[in-house]
Amino acid sequence: MKLGPSALAFALALGPGAAHAQAMYNQARPGQYGGGFIELLMTGRDPGQPLRQVRQPPQPSAPANAAYRYVDPFDEPQVEREPERRRMAALPAAPHEAVPLREPSPEYQRQIVSFDGPEAPGTIVIDTPSRFLYLVQPGGQAIRYGIGVGRPGFTWAGVKTITAKREWPGWTPPPQMLKRRPDLPRHMEGGPDNPLGARALYLGSSLYRIHGTNEPHTIGQNVSSGCIRMMNEDVMDLYERVRVGTRVKVI
């Protein structure tokens, strides 16, 4: 079959490929001289034949521990991130019962002061809010010492007696303190590094003591777990002035 005038003109416009166009035209089926014929000329595919399935190359798989999955390069990239892991900041060690180093204020130095309370001479009066300890003297006077007292929640008041005295005492933290501070030693022998300092006066059957300290900068502050702290030279002075059975009033 020969090309019609219009088809032949179109084929001639293709130049040297006219003969090839004639052969492809001869392969066309009757009734397929429209768009199908043009498709045959332009693509070489007979629209009357079923499409062949093209096997797609296998897609690479991501490594098992990869943070990203494989995506088609023509798709919008979608990053698949690893599940977010919650990190806990390292907790700081429990702070010691201390404050930045400084010298105690001059008002906390040991001195003789006027005292007009009703307590008899020889009585110890501890003024917690003012952070002073008074050893009452005859003639309306008292020796006043600067002290450190319990921090908020650990202050107390009442009347006790001194039941024991110790020089360079050992320290065994009570169970209540170890529960709050499990990092503390179970026992520490007496000495310059011991937090009870040079002397200790034990108050009744309680856990409280009047004792020295290796942290003199804490005098005049609310820093302890209820004990009364004194500078070592002051507690040594008080230790020599009082005896077992001395009355102690804490206000």
Side-chain angles (χ1 to χ4, degrees):
M1 182 180 291
K2 303 297 184 181
L3 293 173
S6 299
L8 182 60
F10 180 78
L12 291 175
L14 297 178
H20 180 65
Q22 176 69 59
M24 289 189 296
Y25 179 83
N26 292 337
Q27 295 175 5
R29 295 182 179 181
Q32 294 181 335
Y33 304 115
F37 175 65
I38 298 301
E39 180 179 352
L40 178 66
L41 288 177
M42 301 302 296
T43 67
R45 185 183 70 82
D46 184 352
Q49 299 295 326
L51 292 173
R52 290 183 299 168
Q53 296 294 327
V54 179
R55 185 183 299 273
Q56 297 294 330
Q59 303 291 352
S61 58
N65 61 346
Y68 302 95
R69 67 175 176 85
Y70 175 82
V71 293
D72 190 287
F74 297 102
D75 290 340
E76 289 294 326
Q78 297 178 0
V79 178
E80 190 174 80
R81 301 188 182 278
E82 292 180 323
E84 182 180 358
R85 293 184 177 92
R86 181 175 297 177
R87 293 183 178 181
M88 299 297 292
L91 296 178
H96 292 289
E97 296 176 355
V99 294
L101 288 173
R102 66 168 181 79
E103 291 297 322
S105 173
E107 66 179 314
Y108 296 114
Q109 299 297 322
R110 182 170 74 245
Q111 53 191 291
I112 302 294
V113 298
S114 297
F115 186 84
D116 59 0
E119 288 77 15
T123 303
I124 292 175
V125 178
I126 297 174
D127 185 348
T128 301
S130 298
R131 295 173 293 279
F132 289 124
L133 181 151
Y134 298 88
L135 177 59
V136 181
Q137 301 292 295
Q141 293 184 320
I143 303 174
R144 189 181 76 183
Y145 306 85
I147 58 174
V149 299
R151 61 184 181 271
F154 289 87
T155 57
W156 59 281
V159 177
K160 301 290 184 182
T161 58
I162 295 176
T163 53
K165 298 169 60 177
R166 298 286 186 272
E167 297 183 9
W168 296 105
W171 180 47
T172 301
Q176 298 91 325
M177 184 177 288
L178 289 174
K179 186 176 181 180
R180 298 191 305 270
R181 291 285 309 280
D183 59 303
L184 293 176
R186 271 36 182 182
H187 179 75
M188 181 182 290
E189 294 297 329
D193 295 329
N194 193 298
L196 296 186
R199 303 289 188 271
L201 306 172
Y202 295 80
L203 301 178
S205 59
S206 71
L207 299 175
Y208 302 125
R209 293 159 292 225
I210 300 170
H211 63 78
T213 181
N214 55 14
E215 297 176 323
H217 53 279
T218 64
I219 299 303
Q221 302 187 41
N222 297 70
V223 289
S224 78
S225 294
C227 287
I228 307 303
R229 295 186 182 187
M230 302 179 72
M231 288 184 285
N232 277 336
E233 56 268 31
D234 285 351
V235 76
M236 292 170 71
D237 181 81
L238 180 66
Y239 185 94
E240 297 299 328
R241 294 177 183 272
V242 301
R243 58 179 175 80
V244 172
T246 296
R247 186 169 181 263
V248 179
K249 182 178 181 179
V250 181
I251 58 176

